[in-house]
Amino acid sequence: MRKFNHKNIVLIFLSFILLTACTKTDSSIDLSGDWSFKIDSLDRGVSENWQSVQFSETIQLPGSMNTNGKGDELSINTKWTGNIWDTDSVWYKDPKMEKYRQKGNIKLPFWLTPNKKYTGAAWYQKKVTIPEDYKGQKINLHLERVHWESTVWVDDTKIGMQNSLSTAHNYDLSDALTVGEHTITIRVDNSIKDINPGIDAHSISDNTQTNWNGIIGDIKLEVSPKLAIGNVKLYPNIATKKVKVVLQIKGNLDSEKRVRLGLEAFDKSTKNALAVLKKDIETNGNKEIVIEYDMGENPKLWDEFNPNVYELQITLESKFGIDTKNIDFGMREFKATGKVFTINGRKTFLRGTLESAIFPLTGYPPTDVTSWKAVYKVIKSHGLNHVRFHSWSPPKAAFIAADEVGIYLQAEASAWATVGDGEAIDEWLYKEGEDIINAYGNHPSFVLMTHGNEPHGKNSKPYLRKYVNHFKKLDNRRLYTSGANWPYIDNLDYFNGGAPRIQAWNQNLKSIINAKAPQTEFDWSNHINKTPMPYVSHEIGQWCVYPNFEEMHKYTGVLKPKNFEIFQETLAENGMADLAKQFLMASGKLQVLCYKADIEAALRTKDMAGFQLLDLHDFPGQGTALVGVLDAFWGEKGYVSPEEFKAFSGQTVPLARFAKRTFSNTDTLNVAIEVAHFGEKILKNATPKWVLKTVNKDVFAEGDLAKKDIEIGNGIQLGNISLPLSKIEKAQRLTLSVSVEEFTNTWDLWVYPTEIPEIENENTVKVVNKLEASTIDYLQKGGNVLFNITKGDIAPEKGGDIGIGFSSIFWNTSWTNGQKPHTLGVLVDPKNPALADFPTEYHSNWQWWDAMTNSNAIIIDDLPKLTPIVRVVDDWFKNRRLALVFEAKVGKGKIIISGIDLHTNIDTRLEAKQMLYSLKKYMTTSAFNPEVSLEINQIKSLLK
């Protein structure tokens, strides 16, 4: 194929151009740089005709008021855009927060703290000189990503107002910009007026990108001939290998004129050009033209594995000159085929995360392709192939980058609001959706769309039914749903629902992960089977981790982690500053375990269409939701690598169905092995392999499963492992690994001996669950006591009110009104001799489920500083010293106090039996020598 050359088109039509009197001019004037500026806090600018006033301040555009240091200092009276739950007790009235409400020391616990804050109108002004050769041309003012309502004047003439949150504001200044000097004035207003997308919508909320004021993308005057190319939609057809080109010609002519259209596509990666198509047409302007462009015999298709992007150059020649547009597109067909998605006829599974407009350095999204590519590459390195933009749509650069990296996008029309009640938002959302499609609809990565997140309103369902029908009819290049999470309507292309996940909002300790003993046999077939369309689970995960204080130095921009400073200071005040990193790592390991359980459940579900995590990276607002294995900058925190995460979230994931995770050595391990394979091709003659290893990496057993071709899909059965565990004599953790070609996934399991050896001198340890007078006397006279407390016997103020469960905190306790669990797992020293016979790592793993389910955390803030045998990692809002198991001297005796119930139904609780054995055995040795002494009244104070 011949190489593409932009000059070819010009040469081909040179004779045509010579017949005209026009000369091609520079196509744009860059308006970035210094602008004059004035804040309009009293909203007097319009009535006082500020467009005629010369402003004394200056500001740099692109940028926001915040990036320029403009706005008001923060105070307790600052008005925010976003809900602040639990406000009175957390910040505004809590005496503990008083020091963070003082002038010069404002620190917010519920989201990142901006350097300045301003909501309202601000005016931007710049002089521009229009050259002679622009005379008679169309001049468009292009403002990329304005936040959010703009009004434009040229000199004293008002041009108009626009208010899209998602797309560029474009103003036709052809009549106003005559040759010579002019003043362009832009009033930008970021306040909510009649159109209310919802104060928590990520398009405007201080929870995420902040409600900034400014213009952050391209700012320029675009020049084109009087007759020009308008909106263009490209409809690729992979079956016919053609692209239907639907384009508008803009301009008003007195009579029909002959014009010539030229179309040529080229492969963006190789620069190889395809055929040139020329077509002469008669038009008087403002006409829609439909042309089919042939892509040749072997056009490259676009998908996540082969992100082949083409560019179509369209040239319009007329007596007024040449107009050219270059449009990216891809040859792809993304469809709902029954209950699954297909890309170019092949099944795919959306493994997604959210992007909630989190940009701590600027407070607004980047508009350059390089920044977005960096984000997408991190996402793909973790095995994911999909991004949902929660209640907002990103700039053009995000779509270009996704095209080139191979990411499937769900864009949303900026709302998290009440809809259908006849308010201004209803009509605006139609226009916003259409603007998004017109601006970004040709990008192959743009495969899914909805109006926004979780709509409210008694009339929302009929409104959204019409909304979906409208857009399905308008543009069929992508699939549409009603809203993220709800409502289900029968006219949807796919359903984005929140039911398939292991912890739902307000489930507390009744969720699968907290209420049912660990196993991996469950899936979401009950939801999928009754939904006659692809089902993508909504916002699964939301598992928290302790703050990573080591990332605080990254916040060098307009948003500061003052919330982290509060948490760090309270941790230090409670004497645990040295434990911050350990809390992070231990809670991080639990977080990953929870995400693995969530993701694998989705992958086990036959014909499920995908999941959307909340989130792969942290969400710094809504009370501070530290739900990411990555920080807000998409950086690693140190407790899981991309490769480790990808093992259970990637294109090909071996899966195992365990009936339980803890076994007796009299059991037989029975595991059904399957695989979810959504790679590019069928795996031919694959031989799945498995190996069971000890913690020392010694092979306990291994084998192969039957060789087979592995089709694309999930629920693909590979075989069964049946293995007696009788050879195991000592309690231990084993790890099962299953490999399908280069793809390996692992699961931990625990085996405990049925016959526990006798403990020498066991009679020297008195095991009780009540602190009776005889026990106190025995203890003070020198006895050893293991006090294992019945769940519910701890005083409310000493930990009885703490909702302790196995899982990590869901979202955060602030924005969920204290949803349980309230803790982040355990932190232990695995080498502590008290746990010598209870195999454990330094963090929670599945063998801790029984302990966490049958226990109370114990607040030891009022006790002398001691090092618990087992700590509980507390909610960072509280940072209490929490223990599960600790030891002390009392009088002449020694005691271990266990918040874990080690007596109720002990014969059926393998882990509890083993923990009891390990503690008792330790208490008979010389190693049992507590350093801290307690009074008996201090112990009694812990109890009801």
Side-chain angles (χ1 to χ4, degrees), residues 160 183 195 273 296 435 524 551 851 883:
T183 299
I195 296 167
D435 286 347
W524 311 122
E551 80 188 41

Side-chain angles (χ1 to χ4, degrees), residues 38 47 83 139 184 262 489 526 571 579 669 674 720 743 745 883 911:
K38 188 175 177 68
S47 62
N83 278 304
I139 304 176
I184 296 176
I489 309 172
N526 57 326
L571 185 70
L579 293 174
L669 174 66
E674 60 189 74
N720 293 278
F743 305 100
N745 198 8
E911 305 95 317

Side-chain angles (χ1 to χ4, degrees), residues 510-525:
K510 297 178 181 179
S511 60
I512 287 176
I513 193 170
N514 285 303
K516 296 185 178 181
Q519 48 97 358
T520 65
E521 291 189 325
F522 65 94
D523 59 36
W524 311 122
S525 296

Side-chain angles (χ1 to χ4, degrees), residues 135 173 336 372 518 533 554 890 926:
K135 187 175 181 179
L173 306 186
W372 283 105
M533 62 184 68
K554 294 183 178 181
V890 179
S926 59

Side-chain angles (χ1 to χ4, degrees), residues 594-663:
C594 294
Y595 273 113
K596 178 176 165 68
D598 244 326
I599 291 170
E600 288 186 348
L603 291 173
R604 284 195 300 268
T605 306
K606 182 68 174 175
D607 289 339
M608 191 165 175
F611 61 79
Q612 294 165 343
L613 299 178
L614 184 56
D615 189 350
L616 190 62
H617 75 323
D618 281 340
F619 187 110
Q622 291 188 7
T624 306
L626 304 176
V627 294
V629 300
L630 305 176
D631 63 30
F633 303 87
W634 298 94
E636 294 177 37
K637 297 181 183 179
Y639 50 80
V640 64
S641 68
E643 294 76 19
E644 290 169 325
F645 196 93
K646 188 175 183 178
F648 56 80
S649 67
Q651 67 182 56
T652 304
V653 178
L655 298 163
R657 292 188 185 249
F658 290 87
K660 54 185 178 180
R661 300 294 288 259
T662 54
F663 299 84

Side-chain angles (χ1 to χ4, degrees), residues 374-425:
V375 169
Y376 294 146
K377 287 178 180 178
V378 170
I379 289 169
K380 290 200 83 168
S381 74
H382 285 77
L384 307 184
N385 62 358
H386 168 50
V387 176
R388 174 199 163 205
F389 292 94
H390 181 306
S391 58
W392 75 296
S393 178
K396 178 180 179 180
F399 292 92
I400 295 172
D403 293 345
E404 296 179 3
V405 174
I407 292 281
Y408 306 120
L409 301 184
Q410 175 174 310
E412 301 183 5
S414 306
W416 184 0
T418 298
V419 297
D421 288 352
E423 300 296 329
I425 185 71

Side-chain angles (χ1 to χ4, degrees), residues 1-5 8 264-268 270-276 293-300 310:
M1 300 179 74
R2 58 190 177 81
K3 293 290 185 178
F4 175 84
N5 188 327
N8 288 346
E264 184 173 21
F266 70 93
D267 184 328
K268 286 192 73 174
T270 65
K271 306 302 181 185
N272 287 333
L274 279 64
V276 175
Y293 182 85
D294 194 330
M295 294 293 293
E297 285 300 311
N298 298 297
K300 297 179 179 178
Y310 288 97

